[in-house]
């Protein structure tokens, strides 16, 4: 049985492969400030997370709506169900 994807990996995977990556904005820590750029640009600049590790991603937005946010506390992540369903319609409990 393989390793289960984390929420950040799941959001990125769906954004890149099951939705339009141009709709997503990534906000990440860069030294003492936050930078914001489109997901396709981020993937190029991060060189597959070798230059900018995924651990520096603070938030991901889809058309201005936050779909992933890392909490400032114990590193836990919170997200809306819309992050897991590009159409914004999430089923189940």
């Amino acid at each position: 049985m393989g390793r289960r994807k984390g929420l950040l990996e799941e959001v990125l995977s769906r954004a890149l492969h099951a939705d339009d990556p141009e709709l997503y904005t990534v906000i990440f820590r860069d030294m003492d400030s936050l930078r914001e750029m489109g997901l396709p640009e981020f993937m190029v600049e991060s060189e597959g997370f070798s230059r900018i590790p995924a651990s520096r991603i603070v938030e991901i937005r889809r058309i201005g709506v936050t779909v992933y946010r890392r909490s400032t506390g114990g590193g836990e992540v919170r997200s809306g169900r819309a992050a897991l369903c590009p159409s914004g319609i999430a089923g189940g409990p």
Side-chain angles (χ1 to χ4, degrees):
M1 189 164 166
R3 180 180 75 83
R4 190 177 155 170
K5 283 186 180 178
L7 185 57
L8 175 58
E9 290 175 283
E10 186 71 25
V11 168
L12 287 171
S13 177
R14 289 183 188 231
L16 292 168
H17 305 291
D19 200 4
D20 180 1
E22 297 288 336
L23 300 176
Y24 291 82
T25 303
V26 178
I27 299 156
F28 61 97
R29 289 188 321 271
D30 184 24
M31 303 293 236
D32 293 332
S33 63
L34 293 177
R35 284 186 61 195
E36 181 175 320
M37 67 176 54
L39 179 57
E41 295 171 83
F42 176 82
M43 295 307 293
V44 170
E45 187 160 324
S46 73
E47 294 178 6
F49 300 107
S50 62
R51 287 192 56 223
I52 305 170
S55 61
R56 288 175 38 195
I57 295 175
V58 174
E59 186 170 302
I60 298 176
R61 295 182 189 148
R62 181 181 185 274
I63 317 173
V65 176
T66 300
V67 294
Y68 170 88
R69 179 179 293 149
R70 182 178 303 277
S71 75
T72 56
E76 292 186 27
V77 174
R78 85 179 162 89
S79 174
R81 285 175 102 16
L84 302 178
C85 182
S87 68
I89 302 168

